[in-house]
Amino acid sequence: MNRQRSLRLPGGHRPLRAIAFDLDSTLTRPYLDFTRLRKQLDFPEGDILQWLDGLSPYQRSEAIQIIEAFEQDGVENVTWNDSAQEPVEAVRAMGLLTAIVTRNSRASLRAVCKRLAITVDQLVAREDAPPKPHPACLHYTAEKLAVPIEQLLMVGDYRHDTDAGKAAGAMTVLLTNGKSPTWIVTADLIVERLSDLLAHIE
C-alpha cells in the first residue's frame, strides 16, 4: 500500500509518495559506450534522440536499428551501481511507489530489469512519452502511479534528469557517483551515493 513519507531538503520537508529513478549510471553502473555509438551513427556531438527527429523516415529507421542493437548488446555487461540495490528495496519497504524513467528503449529497459531482478511499480521508456529532458515523461509517470507530480521525486546522475524533474514540478536529486558536475546544478538535493538518499526520507 502506498504511504506518504517526507523528504528532508535544505529548504524544509516536502511530502513524498513516489520515487522515479534514472537507469544508466543511477541504478546501474555505466554499461553503454556512447562514444562507440556516436561513431556508428556518424554523429559526434549533441542529443542523439533529438537528432533522430531531424532525419528522413528511412535514415531514422536505420539509426533506430543501430541504437536498439547497441542497447541490447550493452545488457550483457550490466551490473547494479554501487550502493543502489539496497536503497531501491528499502524505499519500497517504506511503502513508497517506485519507477524507472529512462531514455532507453522499452525492450532494453525490460531486459536490464530481468537480468538484475529489478522490481518497480512502473517502467517508463522513450516509447511511452517524450524522453528526458522533456517533462512529459515525468507527468506520465505521476499519472500512472496516481500521485501528484509535486510528491514525486526524480533521481538521476545527469542534468537531463533534474531538468525534466524541475520542468515537471517534481522534486529532484542529483546523484554524483563521487564526481563533480560540469554544469550548473539546480537539483533540490545532491547525493554522492544512492544510499545517501535514505537519510533524507522520513
Side-chain angles (χ1 to χ4, degrees):
M1 186 173 74
N2 180 220
R3 293 185 58 186
Q4 180 175 300
R5 298 280 181 167
S6 65
L7 182 67
R8 180 166 45 82
L9 298 172
H13 289 72
R14 297 267 301 275
L16 175 66
R17 289 186 57 194
I19 302 179
F21 296 98
D22 173 49
L23 184 63
D24 187 32
S25 299
T26 298
L27 293 185
T28 70
R29 290 180 179 174
Y31 67 97
L32 295 174
D33 182 358
F34 285 100
T35 300
R36 178 169 65 87
L37 175 62
R38 289 180 182 280
K39 288 181 179 178
Q40 288 180 278
L41 296 172
D42 193 24
F43 181 66
E45 294 182 356
D47 188 307
I48 292 173
L49 297 184
Q50 290 181 5
W51 168 74
L52 285 175
D53 293 337
L55 299 179
S56 69
Y58 175 75
Q59 291 173 320
R60 177 182 170 83
S61 177
E62 281 201 326
I64 287 175
Q65 287 182 20
I66 292 171
I67 293 169
E68 290 182 347
F70 163 80
E71 289 174 340
Q72 287 296 329
D73 287 346
V75 171
E76 299 300 317
N77 302 313
V78 70
T79 59
W80 278 97
N81 199 4
D82 293 337
S83 305
Q85 184 173 3
E86 295 79 5
V88 173
E89 295 171 352
V91 297
R92 287 178 59 81
M94 291 178 190
L96 292 169
L97 297 172
T98 53
I100 297 175
V101 181
T102 179
R103 288 159 55 91
N104 290 10
S105 69
R106 188 180 297 120
S108 171
L109 172 56
R110 287 177 174 169
V112 170
C113 289
K114 182 178 180 180
R115 187 172 181 85
L116 298 183
I118 300 175
T119 301
V120 294
D121 299 291
Q122 185 66 43
L123 298 177
V124 181
R126 61 171 176 258
E127 295 95 335
D128 297 309
K132 301 171 293 185
H134 199 291
C137 56
L138 290 180
H139 284 294
Y140 175 87
T141 304
E143 180 182 349
K144 287 293 185 179
L145 295 176
V147 301
I149 188 67
E150 62 270 16
Q151 295 181 15
L152 173 70
L153 173 65
M154 178 67 219
V155 181
D157 69 298
Y158 190 55
R159 64 189 308 170
H160 284 341
D161 305 305
T162 55
D163 286 354
K166 284 289 185 183
M171 296 174 283
T172 56
V173 170
L174 177 68
L175 172 67
T176 67
N177 291 309
K179 300 176 182 178
S180 297
T182 57
W183 63 91
I184 296 174
V185 176
T186 60
D188 296 306
L189 184 67
I190 301 173
V191 296
E192 185 173 335
R193 300 287 177 229
L194 205 55
S195 55
D196 298 338
L197 176 62
L198 297 178
H200 295 268
I201 301 174
E202 300 176 354

